[in-house]
Amino acid sequence: MANNNTTAADGGSSSSLQQVNDRIIVVQLMNAIFIYIICLLIFTFFKKDTFLSNTRYVFFAHTLLADCLYLIMTNNLLLLTYFSVTMPAAVCVFFCVLLCELTFVTPLTLTAMSLERYVAICMPLRHGELSTVRRAIHCILLIHSISAIQPIIIVSIFFASVPLGFYTQYKLCSAEMFIAHKWQRHLRSVIGQFYFLVMSITIVFTYVRIIAVAKEASENKKSLSKCRKTVILHAIQLFLCLIQLWCPFIEAAILPINLKLYNNVRFFDYIVFILAPRCLCPLVYGLRDEKFFLAIKYYVYFNERLCYICLCV
């Protein structure tokens, strides 16, 4: 009887381990595909001068760079956690601060892109004046400054709460490591919800204004319709990005109840709220934008021909 129980337990743990291994493989494949697509888009952006001088494409490239770095860092931390690899706490602080900042960079950039579309449609006479590359760079610097507010506050409180010896200790790297007091989690939530509220109001405002202009306009309805759909896609991507801010609280509530359910929820959150929003951005501009799509086709075709020639030689 005891042998049967042992065998069943071994079979259960083996099945669970196999499931985890399969998930890790799936995540690695998805990450590799998304990072390849993002790198292709970044390469295309830097090869065309027309993209470098257009505010909309500058914001797009900034989103791609932020998403690429975010995917690489989250994937590395996932692998380190999976294989139980520890690192000095000081190094973990650096990684988590950068990751936390990048979490807000994408939704804030999407909000800026929606505002740019609002200016283009609702204020066409001032679009050339307001939408310049220099202003876009200033806006990107502002986005990073705003994104850094939450991690700076959390880490400053953490520095005041732990002894200096803590930073030389080797730990499994996790953002939850910096929550020394329960109220810090609430503070993090308040800041995140405030960002969510401001960005959601901005997206809704731009969408409503574009709809109003589209109803009044008698010409160029196709262009207005495309802008409206772009803002909708921005809203969906923004919604998925911002739900990510709620994931740690849901996961923390599930952990004491059921470990298997906790692992399932974490995997679901990673796929839906981390990977999915990062692949929507290439879809919005990389495929729907005619100029960008033609440029991508050209460089993909050129690379294929180059590879073919090299193989023949």
Side-chain angles (χ1 to χ4, degrees):
M1 187 73 176
N3 289 336
N4 290 339
N5 290 338
T6 304
T7 305
D10 290 343
S13 64
S14 175
S15 173
S16 176
L17 184 62
Q18 181 64 38
Q19 186 182 29
V20 171
N21 288 334
D22 290 344
R23 287 178 176 179
I24 290 293
I25 292 169
V26 168
V27 169
Q28 297 313 301
L29 287 173
M30 293 181 70
N31 263 306
I33 292 168
F34 291 155
I35 290 171
Y36 170 76
I37 293 170
I38 290 171
C39 288
L40 178 63
L41 294 172
I42 292 170
F43 172 80
T44 304
F45 168 78
F46 283 107
K47 292 295 285 185
K48 285 280 187 180
D49 291 337
T50 52
F51 297 148
L52 291 168
S53 59
N54 189 306
T55 304
R56 185 157 55 106
Y57 294 116
V58 170
F59 281 132
F60 174 50
H62 175 250
T63 306
L64 290 174
L65 288 167
D67 287 347
C68 187
L69 183 57
Y70 186 84
L71 288 176
I72 291 169
M73 290 186 66
T74 53
N75 189 55
N76 286 341
L77 286 178
L78 174 70
L79 292 174
L80 289 172
T81 304
Y82 177 70
F83 291 108
S84 300
V85 178
T86 58
M87 66 172 68
V91 177
C92 183
V93 168
F94 172 77
F95 275 110
C96 286
V97 167
L98 185 56
L99 249 176
C100 188
E101 181 184 350
L102 289 172
T103 301
F104 289 104
V105 164
T106 294
L108 283 169
T109 307
L110 290 173
T111 306
M113 292 167 80
S114 295
L115 285 170
E116 190 275 334
R117 288 294 82 201
Y118 162 74
V119 172
I121 298 302
C122 301
M123 305 167 64
L125 297 178
R126 298 198 63 195
H127 183 251
E129 175 193 346
L130 297 174
S131 184
T132 63
V133 173
R134 185 175 180 180
R135 286 180 184 270
I137 292 170
H138 290 165
C139 186
I140 287 169
L141 293 174
L142 180 63
I143 284 169
H144 281 275
S145 300
I146 296 171
S147 300
I149 291 173
Q150 191 203 56
I152 287 173
I153 292 173
I154 297 299
V155 170
S156 298
I157 297 169
F158 178 75
F159 284 161
S161 305
V162 297
L164 289 173
F166 176 86
Y167 302 108
T168 57
Q169 297 176 15
Y170 279 73
K171 302 278 185 180
L172 274 175
C173 193
S174 168
E176 295 302 308
M177 187 178 74
F178 304 104
I179 305 298
H181 307 284
K182 190 175 180 180
W183 60 266
Q184 287 177 254
R185 190 173 282 109
H186 297 309
L187 176 64
R188 185 178 66 181
S189 175
V190 167
I191 297 171
Q193 300 312 315
F194 176 73
Y195 281 18
F196 178 88
L197 180 64
V198 173
M199 287 185 278
S200 299
I201 290 171
T202 306
I203 288 283
V204 170
F205 169 76
T206 55
Y207 178 73
V208 169
R209 290 297 302 151
I210 288 173
I211 289 292
V213 171
K215 286 182 179 179
E216 294 173 3
S218 57
E219 299 178 358
N220 206 15
K221 285 187 177 292
K222 185 179 179 181
S223 176
L224 290 170
S225 175
K226 192 172 182 180
C227 285
R228 180 172 58 85
K229 289 176 182 177
T230 300
V231 173
I232 291 173
L233 285 170
H234 283 330
I236 294 169
Q237 188 180 3
L238 181 65
F239 180 70
L240 291 173
C241 285
L242 294 176
I243 284 184
Q244 180 191 343
L245 302 176
W246 299 340
C247 291
F249 305 103
I250 297 169
E251 292 166 7
I254 292 172
L255 180 59
I257 301 171
N258 189 305
L259 183 60
K260 186 177 180 181
L261 179 61
Y262 169 76
N263 289 328
N264 290 336
V265 169
R266 283 199 73 185
F267 180 73
F268 175 82
D269 289 345
Y270 186 81
I271 296 295
V272 176
F273 303 124
I274 293 179
L275 289 183
R278 269 74 193 178
C279 77
L280 270 177
C281 196
L283 176 66
V284 172
Y285 280 101
L287 300 179
R288 291 184 71 251
D289 189 280
E290 188 176 347
K291 290 181 182 178
F292 217 93
F293 183 65
L294 289 174
I296 291 169
K297 281 180 66 178
Y298 170 78
Y299 287 115
V300 169
Y301 176 75
F302 176 77
N303 288 333
E304 285 179 353
R305 293 294 296 173
L306 187 62
C307 290
Y308 176 75
I309 292 168
C310 291
L311 288 172
C312 289
V313 172

